[in-house]
Amino acid sequence: MKNILNTSEWLLRYNVLMRVLGIDPGIARTGWAVIELQSSKFNVQSYGCIETSSKKEAPQRLVEIYEEVLKIIKKYSPAEMAIEELFFNTNSKTAFIVGQARGVIILAAAQKKLPIFTYTPLQVKLSVSGYGKADKAQVGKMVKAILNLKQIPKLDDTCDAIAIGLTHLFSRRINKKAK
């Protein structure tokens, strides 16, 4: 019986370019980043932020996020998507609407048959900075250093999306070496 590899396994096994879409979900701002790995070189292909107006109703904002994520997937053809797990703070209303945004993002990726991976904020901070309680500035500095960027991305949402993408690629490299 032949062992059939899926796209991501094939990319990793044969050291071909691996492209991942990192997402930091939100209703007002959803950060996204397309990160590539080939051999041991990381490269940020593109990044940005999907912004929705608070003047619009939640369903309209969710449709905007969904449609923009589909456009990003179509344009950059990532092999996998990494998204941050929801962090529940004291504001349950915010957590609820962010969960809805996260849901439409996951739906978009699932419809395009992308494998979806989730990471907690702690995992992302630990992976990128080596410290699970790193602040936004520390994570930003490490993102800049790892990718050799000229400056830290201006919006925290985009910087977080880059960090989420990097976390996934670090995780995939470790899992590949363990096999």
Side-chain angles (χ1 to χ4, degrees), residues 53-72:
S53 171
S54 61
K55 294 177 183 173
K56 293 182 179 177
E57 295 293 321
Q60 292 172 300
R61 296 170 85 182
L62 294 169
V63 168
E64 272 184 53
I65 293 166
Y66 171 81
E67 289 175 347
E68 288 301 313
V69 169
L70 284 177
K71 287 178 190 174
I72 293 164

Side-chain angles (χ1 to χ4, degrees), residues 41-108:
K41 295 178 184 160
F42 295 96
N43 180 43
V44 61
Q45 178 71 25
S46 187
Y47 60 86
C49 192
I50 302 165
E51 296 187 65
T52 64
S53 171
S54 61
K55 294 177 183 173
K56 293 182 179 177
E57 295 293 321
Q60 292 172 300
R61 296 170 85 182
L62 294 169
V63 168
E64 272 184 53
I65 293 166
Y66 171 81
E67 289 175 347
E68 288 301 313
V69 169
L70 284 177
K71 287 178 190 174
I72 293 164
I73 292 169
K74 183 177 181 179
K75 182 174 182 178
Y76 296 102
S77 302
E80 299 175 344
M81 184 181 82
I83 188 167
E84 191 169 63
E85 190 66 61
L86 218 89
F87 174 73
F88 288 97
N89 55 17
T90 55
N91 189 340
S92 60
K93 185 178 178 184
T94 301
F96 184 70
I97 192 68
V98 171
Q100 291 176 332
R102 191 172 178 276
V104 300
I105 294 163
I106 290 171
L107 174 64

Side-chain angles (χ1 to χ4, degrees), residues 1 8 21 54-55 61 67 69 78 86 127 146 158 179:
M1 181 183 225
S8 358
L21 173 61
S54 61
K55 294 177 183 173
R61 296 170 85 182
E67 289 175 347
V69 169
L86 218 89
S127 174
I146 292 165
T158 54
K179 289 179 182 178

Side-chain angles (χ1 to χ4, degrees), residues 32-33 44 47-48 136 139-145 147 149-163:
W32 63 271
V44 61
Y47 60 86
K136 297 275 186 192
V139 171
K141 286 177 186 174
M142 289 307 298
V143 162
K144 179 183 177 227
L147 293 169
L149 301 174
K150 291 180 182 173
Q151 61 187 25
I152 297 170
K154 291 179 184 166
L155 295 175
D156 287 342
D157 309 274
T158 54
C159 196
D160 289 349
I162 294 169

Side-chain angles (χ1 to χ4, degrees), residues 113-153:
K113 306 212 181 322
L114 286 182
I116 301 161
F117 299 85
T118 61
Y119 298 92
T120 65
L122 179 86
Q123 288 173 309
V124 173
K125 291 173 183 180
L126 189 60
S127 174
V128 173
S129 73
Y131 179 57
K133 294 183 181 180
D135 61 24
K136 297 275 186 192
Q138 290 170 304
V139 171
K141 286 177 186 174
M142 289 307 298
V143 162
K144 179 183 177 227
I146 292 165
L147 293 169
N148 199 26
L149 301 174
K150 291 180 182 173
Q151 61 187 25
I152 297 170

